[in-house]
């Protein structure tokens, strides 16, 4: 049986788009399935300053568009649909979407990760009404206002820096006594006079009426709880890998897909790239590189399968 596609890439962020481009360029019949706009998380980066080749910061939306155009130029077909199931069969996979069932020799999972939630009272209630997970998207709505940023990783620091251009009243709380973020980023935050950093602080509740008005904070060093007025709460406390489609693949203790250096998972023919993978460094450039490696290795795997099929 000849599958419908040589390779199906699930997820159209920059890792998936890079994989698609390399696969199509290697002459594989390549389908990329994405349920939203292509570009993934890169779409909402305002100033991407560390992507090689761009000495001036580039807008993430523009970079994502360039990735998409380049993939299409090499012949990638993009299907705007949700994948509902991936089933490993003998020598191929079936990939079910809302509209059809497709077959393919290999699958590259590039489904990324979703924002982790605080799971505290008020978070869901005020989501979209002052609680946000994207500073670039919602920050401008709170220009000049008092904003609370939660988290201590690269994302929290990056987004706090972005918000500090909109207001001089940014308060950042982190549950430990030091940042997890890269040193250079953390130092920039600590030296930013528009950002007040409070370590050893947790958010216990978000309160408001039609929108956020305050947050209940807990100082875990002093063991003190207090309430403070805020107009918005931005939450950046990491992410949850989107692996529901591949329950049969091995994952690490926090749920990211384990791969070898070829991006190959524990399941023959299934590769994982970008934020869904057990990677030590989540960056656009890393995802793009992983996409290239995965497609290169998948091409060899597919050649072998085709060879076997012809014997
Ligand atoms: P992250 O590195 O996993 O950091 C998550 C932060 O949130 C940690 O400081 C963690 O605290 C805190 N946290 C987790 N659960 C929490 C909870 N329930 N309540 C309060 N705080 C909580 O996640 P990230 O910052 O989203 O970054 C994800 C990946 O993307 C990283 O690999 C990062 O390097 C990359 N990234 C890079 C850049 C950049 O290079 N400019 C920008 C954004 C993201 P603890 O420290 O106490 O664990």
């Amino acid at each position: 049986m000849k599958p419908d596609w040589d390779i199906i890439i699930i997820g159209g962020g920059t890792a998936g788009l890079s994989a698609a481009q390399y696969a199509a360029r290697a002459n594989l019949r390549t389908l990329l399935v994405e349920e939203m706009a292509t570009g993934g998380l890169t779409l909402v980066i305002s100033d991407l300053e560390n992507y090689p080749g761009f000495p001036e910061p580039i807008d993430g939306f523009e970079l994502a568009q360039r990735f998409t155009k380049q993939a299409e130029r090499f012949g990638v077909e993009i299907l705007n649909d949700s994948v509902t199931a991936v089933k490993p069969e003998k020598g191929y996979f079936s990939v079910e979407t809302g509209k059809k069932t497709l077959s393919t020799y290999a699958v590259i999972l590039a489904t990324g990760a979703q924002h982790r939630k605080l799971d505290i009272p008020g978070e869901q209630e005020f989501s979209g009404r002052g609680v946000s997970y994207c500073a670039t998207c919602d920050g401008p709505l709170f220009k000049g206002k008092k904003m609370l940023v939660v988290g201590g990783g690269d994302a929290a620091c990056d987004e706090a820096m972005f918000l500090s251009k909109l207001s001089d009243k940014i308060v950042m709380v982190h549950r430990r006594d030091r940042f997890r973020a890269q040193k250079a980023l953390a130092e920039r935050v600590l030296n930013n006079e528009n950002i007040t950093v409070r370590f050893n602080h947790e958010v216990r509740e978000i309160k408001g009426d039609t929108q956020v008005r305050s947050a209940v904070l807990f100082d875990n060093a002093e063991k003190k709880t207090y309430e403070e007025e805020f107009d918005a709460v931005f939450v950046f406390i990491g992410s949850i890998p989107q692996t529901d489609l591949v329950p049969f693949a091995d994952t690490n203790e926090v749920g990211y897909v384990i791969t070898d250096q070829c991006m190959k998972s524990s399941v023959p023919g299934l590769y994982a790239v970008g934020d869904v993978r057990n990677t030590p460094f989540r960056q656009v450039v890393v995802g793009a590189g992983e996409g290239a490696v995965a497609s290169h290795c998948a091409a060899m795997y597919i050649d072998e399968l085709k060879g076997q099929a012809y014997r």
Side-chain angles (χ1 to χ4, degrees):
M1 169 213 168
K2 186 180 176 191
D4 303 321
W5 296 93
D6 288 328
I7 192 157
I8 293 182
I9 293 146
I10 306 172
T14 40
L17 287 166
S18 167
Q21 185 221 125
Y22 271 83
R25 226 175 140 256
N27 228 5
L28 298 177
R29 296 170 302 133
T30 306
L31 178 73
L32 182 145
V33 190
E34 167 58 58
E35 56 190 353
M36 315 235 274
T38 53
L41 288 182
T42 306
L43 286 172
V44 299
I45 300 175
S46 60
D47 289 325
L48 185 55
E49 61 178 18
N50 56 4
Y51 195 81
F54 294 89
E56 297 304 322
I58 182 168
D59 176 52
F61 185 85
E62 190 194 330
L63 185 66
Q65 280 190 323
R66 287 177 183 231
F67 268 69
T68 306
K69 274 193 204 139
Q70 200 173 5
E72 284 176 330
R73 185 161 71 83
F74 286 113
V76 173
E77 193 165 316
I78 297 178
L79 175 67
N80 190 226
D81 203 348
S82 309
V83 173
T84 53
V86 175
K87 293 182 184 152
E89 312 282 359
K90 211 162 183 274
Y92 73 99
F93 291 84
S94 63
V95 174
E96 293 172 16
T97 75
K99 295 172 195 149
K100 46 189 141 184
T101 299
L102 302 160
S103 55
T104 177
Y105 286 119
V107 168
I108 297 183
L109 187 76
T111 42
Q114 265 188 3
H115 303 298
R116 180 176 289 125
K117 305 272 165 57
L118 284 164
D119 283 329
I120 55 168
E123 182 182 26
Q124 196 179 332
E125 186 185 347
F126 293 107
S127 179
R129 295 191 289 139
V131 172
S132 171
Y133 304 87
C134 174
T136 327
C137 320
D138 299 323
L141 301 172
F142 300 96
K143 204 166 178 198
K145 299 273 175 78
K146 188 169 170 188
M147 298 181 245
L148 178 65
V149 175
V150 191
D154 285 339
C157 287
D158 253 357
E159 307 277 330
M161 288 297 293
F162 174 79
L163 293 173
S164 74
K165 295 184 210 156
L166 301 171
S167 169
D168 58 0
K169 296 187 279 286
I170 308 298
V171 176
M172 195 168 171
V173 292
H174 179 37
R175 64 184 179 183
R176 280 193 297 142
D177 62 355
R178 73 198 68 169
F179 282 133
R180 174 180 293 278
Q182 301 164 58
K183 201 164 169 250
L185 247 181
E187 274 172 6
R188 247 186 274 169
V189 166
L190 290 167
N191 292 327
N192 187 316
E193 56 185 23
N194 290 351
I195 305 173
T196 306
V197 177
R198 293 185 203 155
F199 288 114
N200 295 308
H201 270 67
E202 296 163 32
V203 188
R204 288 287 163 88
E205 187 175 352
I206 298 166
K207 293 182 173 180
D209 38 47
T210 54
Q211 61 183 70
V212 168
R213 298 288 176 204
S214 67
V216 177
L217 302 175
F218 175 62
D219 178 336
N220 62 28
E222 300 290 323
K223 308 281 177 237
K224 263 191 345 212
T225 304
Y226 62 99
E227 187 171 341
E228 187 169 329
E229 286 184 3
F230 289 102
D231 299 294
V233 180
F234 287 87
V235 182
F236 306 108
I237 57 165
S239 41
I240 301 167
Q242 299 303 290
T243 55
D244 289 358
L245 292 172
V246 293
F248 39 79
D250 286 353
T251 55
N252 70 4
E253 63 290 353
V254 278
Y256 291 89
V257 177
I258 295 170
T259 73
D260 65 7
Q261 60 179 4
C262 264
M263 311 299 137
K264 194 172 77 185
S265 75
S266 56
V267 181
L270 176 69
Y271 300 75
V273 296
D275 288 357
V276 75
R277 189 180 90 84
N278 174 28
T279 176
F281 198 33
R282 295 192 165 77
Q283 299 278 299
V284 180
V285 66
V286 175
E290 290 177 359
V293 173
S295 284
H296 173 73
C297 295
M300 291 194 286
Y301 167 81
I302 293 164
D303 275 354
E304 209 170 297
L305 268 189
K306 285 180 177 172
Q308 281 171 5
Y310 297 148
R311 247 177 246 146

